[in-house]
Structure formats: structure tokens, C-alpha cells
Amino acid sequence: MNDMNNKATRMGLVERYLEAETSPEEERLLAGFYNSCKADGLSEEEKAVRLLILGTHGEDAAATLEPSADKEQEYDRLMKTRAVLSVRWKTAITTAAIGLAAAVALALFLPVQPRPESSRPQFSATVPEKTYQPAVSVQTQPTITEVAEGKATTIRMEKREKACPKRESAEQSDKNTLITDIGRLYLWAGELFPDCEKIEMERKGDAMLLTTTRADGSQRFYIMTEDATGKPGIQITALAETDRQSTY
Amino acid sequence: MNQDEFEHFVASVRPRLHALCLRFLARTNGQADAEDLVQETLLRMWTLMKAKLVDNPEAMAIRMAKNLCIDHYRLSSRRHTPVQGVPEEQTTGSNPEQELMARELKERIDAALEELTEAQRRMVRMKGAGMDNGEIAVVCNTSRDCVKSTLCAARRKMMNRLKGGKT
């Protein structure tokens, strides 16, 4: 402490203090000196040094406090609560993500398959029976003599407007493509050959090959084409007849 | 406790303390830096260990860190910024004149400390608590030269503030 009364020694130590080169013991020595001396006898420079040392030196009261058990319990409780909430959120988000992924996977791997031609429902199933009216003008079933082999018979469509009014516009715009309307052809064929057990049609270029099978297994073959006169209608020409069923 | 022992202790406990503080701040949306809480914990542990008040330093450090986390959480909840500065004991004097002087001293020191960065303020506190530069470097996970330059800058800045702000 006696050395500290020497201003030159003291100021040298202060300079080292400001340079942060002093040891804790030297700083305690400075603090002890400035704590015991009066500020009145010091220069302005030293008064500021005194304030600095006394203001920043000394045991930190807060640092010596023992940790509190209550705070430790509060910490554990807070972390536990937050952890539970966090787990719930994570579970909800994970579940939503899994559900979304499953939906996407189903959409990707199970696309709607187009139905093959053979699995199409029968015409009778797609056209309600009540609304169905024959679109052909023939009143009686044609016989094989009427539709003789190589002789064309024309089926006119006088009743079509009344039969299917909802399809009128389609028919008007499709007059020349009646042969492509498989459903309508089946309808006509069903009216034309009501005693046939089976009617088959097969497209052959612009024409349609019609095969009828009766209960006794005999088959008859016809060719169906658009009416050559340009009027809306189908021309049916008998081709051949077999006495037993065979694949054509 | 010498510096080697303290350094060994810090090296062993720092990762756990950092993880603990980081987890707490993440859960509570705390705005503080986990490293700040770790360094504050180590400063207090140094004080306790130096006074030989600790039987199980690691367990004590964990408890201390949890306490500091809760302190930070409460302060954040109150939207109050803690001012670390002169200990309260210096503001209580035996007579009104001393008390007035102590209050004035505290206000001026607080104003000077406010101008420091967080790292400078923390090192000034550590130095004031009696740590040497090597121990501060261990706690702050930095070099002695860095501690020295930071402290020097902080003390010069405070000196200028105290001289300029003198009434």
C-alpha cells in the first residue's frame, strides 16, 4: 500500500490496468487504495480511474448465490410441458404428412383404367327400355328370302325423330356416319332379327359385317353399308347362311 | 483450484451446459445466445469453486445453468432487459451521504457499461470478480490475447465515458 502512495508507481499500475495487463492481486491493491483514499486529493484523471476501478471491481454478489432448487424444478417442469406439446405437434404433422403421401401414392399408382371395348355394357343396359323405340320403319322381321343373298334391302329411318329426340342434333350432324354408331346398329339389328339368340358385328372398312345366330346354331351373314342414295339409312345385304355355328 | 483444474472442468462440462441452454432457448423461443448463459454459468462456478464451496462441480454447474435459464425466461416474459453492472451491495451505505455517493457511482458506471458490447461487459464483470485473463479466456473459449485486447478496449471506452460524463 505504501507503494501506492507514490503517484508515479500508482499511475504506472493504472496504465497497466487500462491495458488489461494487471493481475487480480494488483487490481485488488488498486481497488483497496482508491476505496480508502478521498477523491478530493486526486487529479481529474485519477478520479475517473477511481470510479472505474471501484465501479467494476469486487465480488459479484449475484455470482455467489447458490442455485435455487425451485428454479431447477421449474426448469424441468417447463421443459417437460414443452416437450409434450412438441411431441403432439410432431405427431399431428407426421400423421397429416403420411396421409397426404398415401393419397398421392394412390393417385399415382392406381390411375383410372380405361375400360376395354369388350367390357362395355350391353346396349340394352345403357339405353332405358322405356325410352327405346325402334328407329327403323320395317314392321315385320325380314326373312332370308326378303333379304336374299346378294340383294340389298334398305332400312329407312322415318321414325327416328320421334324415337330419340334427345339425340336429334347428333344425328343431324352425323347423317353420313350411321354405320359407325355401333349401338344404333345393334338396335336396328335387334328389331330386324328378334328371334336370333346372338348378333355380332364386325367393322370391315366402311361397312359392317353382321352375323346372326339362331337357337339351332345356324348363322347368317349380312353386310351393312350406308344407303347409297345419300338418305339417312342403312343398306343390309345378305351374304351367306350356315347350318351350324362357326366363328367367322 | 488452479487454472489447469478449472480448464479441465470447463472442457468437460461446457458441451452439456451448451446443449442444456440451447434446448431450453429453443423450447421457450428465447432470444438470448446459449453461449452467454454458458459463460455466465461458468463465471459463477468459478466464484464458487474458488471459494471451495462446491463438492460436485458438474452437478452444481447443471443446476446453476437451469437457474440462469429460468432467470432469463422470467426476464423475457416481463420484457425487461437485465442490466448487469455494479452489485447492489455498493448502493447501500451506512449513512445518507454515502448512500447518495454510492447511487451516483452506480448510475455513472451503469451508463459507461451500457456503451460496451455484450462480450466486453461480460469480460469486465469476470475481471472484476477476480478472474485473470487466462481464466476468462477458458470461460469465453477464446485466447488470452483476445481477452486482453477486449478488456483494454472496454476499459478505455469506460474511462472516456466517465471523464466526459463527470458532473
Side-chain angles (χ1 to χ4, degrees):
Chain A
M1 182 64 77
N2 291 334
D3 292 340
M4 297 304 292
N5 289 325
N6 184 331
K7 187 174 180 181
T9 306
R10 191 169 67 243
M11 290 312 291
L13 199 55
V14 165
E15 190 58 33
R16 288 182 58 227
Y17 172 84
L18 292 174
E19 289 295 323
E21 293 173 348
T22 46
S23 66
E25 289 73 23
E26 289 172 324
E27 292 186 9
R28 269 196 291 273
L29 206 61
L30 277 172
F33 172 78
Y34 285 120
N35 197 32
S36 61
C37 77
K38 295 287 183 184
D40 298 340
L42 300 175
S43 64
E44 293 300 314
E45 178 83 9
E46 274 205 282
K47 283 180 183 174
V49 171
R50 178 177 179 272
L51 277 177
L52 175 63
I53 293 175
L54 292 182
T56 57
H57 193 270
E59 290 294 318
D60 193 340
T64 59
L65 288 176
E66 288 279 339
S68 159
D70 291 343
K71 287 182 182 175
E72 193 176 4
Q73 288 173 359
E74 186 179 348
Y75 176 95
D76 293 336
R77 180 184 56 77
L78 206 56
M79 291 296 283
K80 193 173 181 180
T81 307
R82 299 271 176 169
V84 169
L85 289 174
S86 177
V87 167
R88 284 179 184 168
W89 270 109
K90 282 178 185 172
T91 305
I93 290 170
T94 306
T95 306
I98 290 173
L100 189 62
V104 170
L106 282 173
L108 285 176
F109 295 109
L110 296 175
V112 177
Q113 295 288 339
R115 282 181 294 186
E117 193 77 18
S118 60
S119 67
R120 279 186 179 180
Q122 294 298 315
F123 183 77
S124 59
T126 57
V127 178
E129 196 171 345
K130 290 181 179 177
T131 61
Y132 166 71
Q133 290 181 17
V136 292
S137 60
V138 290
Q139 299 298 320
T140 58
Q141 176 194 0
T143 63
I144 194 66
T145 54
E146 291 169 340
V147 186
E149 189 170 344
K151 180 183 177 184
T153 297
T154 302
I155 304 171
R156 297 295 175 193
M157 298 166 50
E158 290 83 1
K159 297 182 181 178
R160 284 199 56 75
E161 290 182 1
K162 292 178 182 177
C164 302
K166 290 183 180 178
R167 303 183 69 177
E168 180 183 353
S169 58
E171 287 164 2
Q172 291 296 326
S173 63
D174 199 20
K175 283 180 180 176
N176 297 325
T177 57
L178 290 172
I179 202 70
T180 63
D181 193 341
I182 299 292
R184 198 179 303 167
L185 291 179
Y186 269 109
L187 188 68
W188 291 339
E191 289 295 323
L192 202 57
F193 310 108
D195 57 339
C196 292
E197 284 193 341
K198 185 178 178 183
I199 297 175
E200 293 175 305
M201 290 191 192
E202 186 179 358
R203 184 179 300 282
K204 297 289 182 184
D206 293 337
M208 190 71 74
L209 179 67
L210 175 68
T211 307
T212 61
T213 306
R214 292 172 179 264
D216 60 358
S218 61
Q219 288 184 312
R220 291 177 184 175
F221 302 97
Y222 304 90
I223 190 77
M224 300 174 74
T225 56
E226 298 278 353
D227 190 354
T229 62
K231 294 179 181 178
I234 295 292
Q235 226 172 31
I236 299 179
T237 306
L239 295 178
E241 180 178 4
T242 64
D243 55 356
R244 61 183 177 84
Q245 187 174 10
S246 63
T247 54
Y248 182 78
Chain B
M1 179 192 65
N2 58 35
Q3 186 173 335
D4 287 342
E5 290 171 347
F6 183 67
E7 194 169 345
H8 179 73
F9 163 74
V10 170
S12 66
V13 80
R14 178 188 285 279
R16 287 184 64 192
L17 293 178
H18 196 270
L20 184 144
C21 295
L22 202 61
R23 202 163 54 242
F24 182 83
L25 291 172
R27 290 273 170 82
T28 58
N29 299 320
Q31 298 298 315
D33 187 356
E35 184 62 25
D36 292 345
L37 293 173
V38 171
Q39 290 181 15
E40 182 65 27
T41 304
L42 293 174
L43 167 61
R44 296 187 180 196
M45 284 305 299
W46 179 85
T47 307
L48 290 172
M49 290 169 74
K50 191 181 176 190
K52 300 187 187 303
L53 296 173
V54 185
D55 293 330
N56 186 347
E58 290 200 9
M60 178 67 85
I62 298 297
R63 290 182 63 189
M64 189 76 80
K66 288 181 177 180
N67 271 245
L68 285 170
C69 285
I70 292 298
D71 288 342
H72 167 75
Y73 179 71
R74 289 176 179 173
L75 285 169
S76 300
S77 300
R78 285 185 237 139
R79 297 181 181 279
H80 176 262
T81 306
V83 178
Q84 298 172 341
V86 182
E88 290 293 328
E89 61 185 12
Q90 293 192 12
T91 61
T92 56
S94 57
N95 60 56
E97 187 182 358
Q98 284 182 343
E99 193 172 338
L100 188 65
M101 288 177 63
R103 193 180 302 127
E104 183 187 0
L105 172 66
K106 182 182 183 307
E107 286 172 1
R108 295 182 64 183
I109 291 295
D110 282 349
L113 282 168
E114 281 296 309
E115 295 193 353
L116 303 183
T117 64
E118 186 60 38
Q120 288 175 332
R121 204 176 299 134
R122 191 178 303 114
M123 286 188 187
V124 165
R125 285 189 62 220
M126 290 178 183
K127 192 72 173 172
M131 296 176 99
D132 63 26
N133 291 1
E135 290 165 332
I136 294 173
V138 170
V139 169
C140 295
N141 203 18
T142 184
S143 66
R144 291 175 69 106
D145 288 340
C146 179
V147 172
K148 181 176 176 295
S149 63
T150 305
L151 270 174
C152 178
R155 285 175 170 175
R156 295 279 182 196
K157 195 187 289 184
M158 287 184 75
M159 266 292 287
N160 290 335
R161 179 70 172 79
L162 291 170
K163 276 196 283 188
K166 185 178 181 300
T167 55

